[in-house]
Amino acid sequence: MTVQELPGAASYRPTPPPAWKPRTDPAPLLPDPEPYRVLGTDAVDGFAPELLRRLYAELVRGRRYNAQATALTKQGRLAVYPSSTGQEACEVAAALALEDRDWLFPSYRDTLAAVARGLDPVQALTLLRGDWHTGYDPREHRVAPLSTPLATQLPHAVGLAHAARLKGDDVVALAMVGDGGTSEGDFHEALNFAAVWQAPVVFLVQNNGFAISVPLAKQTAAPSLAHKAVGYGMPGRLVDGNDAPAVHQVLSEAVARARRGGGPTLVEAVTYRIDAHTNADDATRYRGDGEVEAWRNHDPIRLLEHELTERGLLDEDGVRRAGEDAETMAARLRERMNADAPLDPMDLFAHVYAEQTAQLREQAAQLRAELDAEGDA
Amino acid sequence: MAKVAAKPATMAQALQSAMRDAMAEDPSVHVMGEDVGTLGGVFRVTDGLAKEFGEDRCTDTPLAEAGILGTAVGMAMYGLRPVVEMQFDAFAYPAFEQLISHVAKMRNRTRGAMPLPMVVRVPYGGGIGGVEHHSDSSEAYYMATPGLHVVTPATVADAYGLLRAAIASDDPVVFLEPKRLYWSKAEWSPDAPDPVAPIGRAVVRRTGRSATLITYGPSLPVCLEAAEAASAEGWDLEVVDLRSLVPFDDETVCASVRRTGRAIVVHESAGFGGPGGEIAARVTERCFHHLEAPVLRVAGFDIPYPPPMLERHHLPGVDRILDAVARLQWEAQS
Ligand SMILES: Cc1ncc(C[n+]2csc(CCOP(=O)(O)OP(=O)(O)O)c2C)c(N)n1
């Protein structure tokens, strides 16, 4: 209709706009305001004792792994280590909520999730050791490279999950991100795509209180990060991130929902970063000891240990065995990390393109000559 | 002002003094970015500014580079002078849309009606053993975008002077901070700083007669070291520190090359499509008849920045520069 065809002012009679209704009822998408908890409630009865014991063993191993990796930074064996101490329940539950065929899209802090999924601990540390960027074949374990640029792996998870669905595979992608990462544009775009495509993705936000030095209150004004889901049209779930069975249950439900075609879910796990941001960070600049202490008393390992002991599912012997198992893992890790990584500088040129370019062949020859000269010297 | 005794200061401290002094003088100067407040930045370059000027003037933003730069555009449109910190080179990329489509073009799109004075500080380059995404040399991307000034200090005094000039500039300035020089020290006093270096002026750091090393930022100390080493072999090298990549100081560079007749451009970003190609072409166009050898480039390899354990093989070092110097004996080769 051109302007000329519009009724003139004299004959124009305004009417109300055509009826509008929300596309989706937001109520079922909204998270419960209180983080979901299992420990200390009857819900624990619904868990298989083997699962609870497995979670416990993995938590203990994870804690030991964090301590060992941090120690390795002091010896110069790792360039840097972003510890997930205090967040082990999220890491472990993330790994255990997935089937083998599913994919994990970790951030740089999520080495533990990758290891709990079966990745060789040394290969998982390659990025942080500094000998190569990604020490494993992502296809082998269905673990994407640990992503350093924040939130950039989230759209990848959506795309992969979407592709799997297009191919008729019932594969789910679990994408992990920190509270700070939820501010990035990529986070929002990923959620929107996931919801519009109803992609089988689960987003797990580990809200550990800080993005380096910036507290959550300066990161978002939302009631919770889980609330962000509703605006995109997916359910948001809040869970106590230090309650391993609770995280496992919420994630497993979200994964199951995605697998049966129910679309994406955003899970916010409320937890705390006990260590500094990385070994290179000075956390005393931005937070007090009191806060850290309060969270130490809500420790994921002690919470689960207490529950299992109370219920007679774990005795002193079991605790000792888990500790010994973790110690063995740490000793093995230490030993392997203390051996120098075999390095070939010519690798610099090996994987830039599928086929070496003439320019790179020239540069490789230059480096070869330099190395030979070094060898002679 | 009375000359105050110079004390050793780091480049990071000089940058901080520049922001402090600019903020004290001009209430429209605002510092913003990730962790710039309480923490003082991951390199402590903004340390103390939030305490001194309040959180409205030195602001911890949400973690979103496009948002940081995009809001800075709006703030500059309203008359503030934002000084934005991007935490690391590779984390500035989400902001490229804002930088390229808006920051660089606002003056032009509005026929000069709406200039955007702002500074985007980017710690860049390798050599600090950082894991991936912490060592990119991104200067070529910025240089290729008309509308942006691109500067990079290599000395403590220039860090102060250039940052003051950048904040005072009525155009957007991408201010590249060579992070491996953050802890480099010099006798310098914030109370008696050198005169502010004008943007767009290169400086001869070492005079010589047999060839010119053209360099900037993190590669300057390497070139000075190479020049010392070369003197043992009878080469008297001149070293030009560009300081400003855009605008480019053809005058200083070409005057030097005309004197020496030979030139090598040294930088650590990739050689192909890198700054060296542009510089070599300009020098050739302007000094062809003075050249006794082709302008050579010593650059990082054309590869994604390598993991820390391999970076020493990638970064142009003294030996690679000396190799190139040897190749300047062009007549002997051809
Ligand atoms: C795009 C991008 N910007 C900045 C950084 C630098 N950086 C690394 S970790 C970090 C804080 C991340 O906080 P959060 O997302 O809460 O994860 P956490 O470290 O707490 O696990 C920042 C700012 C980055 N890695 N990527």
Side-chain angles (χ1 to χ4, degrees), chain A residues 108-109 148 150 179-181 208 210-211 277, chain B residues 34 65 87 91:
Chain A
Y108 68 94
R109 197 180 292 287
T148 307
L150 297 166
D179 44 295
N208 64 7
F210 287 89
H277 169 64
Chain B
E34 294 156 12
E65 294 75 13
Q87 201 158 74
F91 305 144

